Amino acid sequence: MLAVGPNGAGKTNLLESLHVGTQGFSPRTRSDAELIRFGEQAAAIRLEGARGSAPTRIAVTLSALEGKRAELNGARLRAAEQLRSETSTLVFTPDRLAIVKGGPAARRAYFDRVLARLHPARAALPADYAAALAQRNAALKGGDRSAVAPWTAQLARLGASLVESRVETLDLLGPPFAAAAAELGLDSSRLAYEGETPTPDEFDARLDRDLDRGSTGLGPHLHDVSIASAARDLRAFGSQGEQRTAVLALLLAEATLLAGRREEPPLLLLDDVLSELDLERRRVLIAQVDGRGQTLITATTADALPGDPAQLLRVSPGKVE
């Protein structure tokens, strides 16, 4: 599907509503109040479709007074974010370039989300590690060595599991990422984890420094992922076009992996993805998403897309035709 319209017409709002309706949260903000029209107290999203031969109905209601509610086939969900385990959606927006060009925290957050989607049983691992890290840092600020010790042991255990899971995720993602990037003209692309598994002895060896600083100076909360083409780190030495290509290749690689693990391929939401791609790369991208399931692409004009879309949506303020 191709959604076209002038800037400010609401194309990104349409894409965002599909993400909220299938995942329970916005890719843009964690404040639900920002999703409600100015001057209104509530908003609603209703989706109907099918998974295999089974009809699927999703309803998400946002309220400034009562919070967020979600229903799947008429059954109330405990939390709207449970939709993530029922439906799979991947999104590209221009601000996702931060995955490549931003700091290590942006990459850690992104690859931890990939980890959760590829390994649902380990989805809570990054949050569990972050909770243990916060407790150890609080104990360090208190200056009590005996209070630090149990959190050190827990942090070492969770840190080792998190590093192992991140490396495993990159090992899975690396080959389809390199293949997708090469088709888009970014040769010899690779992903590499930068950081070592922390051990209890290493935590103990730097305890005095951590007590002085009041924070933990070792562990996967400080690690990074290298996204490179040949010998070039794309964060420092990639053009914006190459950085955009790398983010697209990551999305396509994850879509390939998820399609092999779930009954239905993921929904792809690609916002303003064509604007900085040349004609040949546009053709390659369309060929890559063709046949993967449903894809929604936004653009200002229909001629941005090489060929004809399966469905053309014309977006104007308050209306989609």
Side-chain angles (χ1 to χ4, degrees):
M1 292 181 289
L2 178 66
V4 300
N7 292 331
K11 302 184 299 296
T12 299
N13 287 349
L14 174 63
L15 181 145
E16 185 176 27
S17 71
L18 287 171
H19 195 280
V20 175
T22 57
Q23 303 296 284
F25 64 96
S26 166
R28 176 182 58 85
T29 177
R30 290 298 180 262
S31 172
D32 292 339
E34 293 184 22
L35 306 179
I36 300 173
R37 186 193 300 270
F38 287 117
E40 302 293 338
Q41 293 296 311
I45 299 167
R46 303 280 188 270
L47 302 177
E48 293 186 7
R51 289 187 292 174
S53 59
T56 300
R57 293 177 294 107
I58 297 174
V60 177
T61 302
L62 305 165
S63 171
L65 302 176
E66 299 178 4
K68 182 166 54 183
R69 296 186 302 166
E71 294 180 359
L72 177 64
N73 293 329
R76 173 80 177 270
L77 299 179
R78 185 180 69 257
E81 284 73 14
Q82 286 181 267
L83 288 168
R84 285 183 289 181
S85 64
E86 301 291 340
T87 56
S88 181
T89 298
L90 301 178
V91 62
F92 172 92
T93 58
D95 61 4
R96 290 294 169 99
L97 291 183
I99 296 168
V100 177
K101 67 191 296 184
R107 282 181 291 284
R108 288 194 300 268
Y110 170 75
F111 287 106
D112 283 347
R113 290 193 296 271
V114 177
L115 185 164
R117 286 190 285 264
L118 294 180
H119 307 287
R122 291 179 249 175
L125 185 54
D128 291 343
Y129 176 84
L133 175 66
Q135 293 287 353
R136 186 177 192 268
N137 286 344
L140 288 168
K141 289 181 174 67
D144 186 346
R145 290 172 179 265
S146 62
V148 172
W151 294 113
T152 297
Q154 186 166 348
L155 200 64
R157 176 179 60 81
L158 290 170
S161 296
L162 182 54
V163 170
E164 180 183 7
S165 296
R166 284 176 174 174
V167 171
E168 185 178 335
T169 297
L170 293 182
D171 287 344
L172 289 171
L173 201 60
F177 165 71
E183 289 191 39
L184 289 166
L186 196 60
D187 294 327
S188 303
S189 297
R190 59 180 178 81
L191 305 173
Y193 193 72
E194 297 183 342
E196 299 295 330
T197 302
T199 66
D201 288 344
E202 288 173 324
F203 280 116
D204 289 341
R206 62 168 297 121
L207 179 57
D208 288 339
R209 279 176 289 174
D210 285 353
L211 285 166
D212 288 341
R213 295 173 53 191
S215 63
T216 302
L218 176 73
H221 60 288
L222 300 172
H223 292 174
D224 200 354
V225 174
S226 170
I227 304 174
S229 175
R232 293 183 299 128
D233 184 325
L234 292 176
R235 178 191 179 190
F237 302 106
S239 68
Q240 180 149 309
E242 289 175 322
Q243 292 169 343
R244 176 178 289 245
T245 297
V247 175
L248 279 173
L250 285 169
L251 181 145
L252 293 169
E254 188 180 357
T256 297
L257 293 175
L258 288 174
R261 290 166 176 247
R262 298 199 175 196
E263 181 181 350
E264 295 291 327
L267 169 65
L268 301 183
L269 304 174
L270 309 180
D271 190 25
D272 193 28
V273 73
L274 304 173
S275 62
E276 293 189 30
L277 297 178
D278 59 38
L279 180 58
E280 182 56 33
R281 284 178 172 79
R282 293 183 191 186
R283 286 177 176 149
V284 171
L285 174 63
I286 298 310
Q288 289 204 13
V289 301
D290 187 32
R292 284 180 179 264
Q294 288 187 303
T295 300
L296 174 65
I297 299 175
T298 68
T300 53
T301 60
D303 60 10
L305 186 77
D308 296 322
Q311 188 173 20
L312 179 64
L313 308 176
R314 296 194 180 276
V315 182
S316 57
K319 185 166 61 174
V320 179
E321 297 178 302

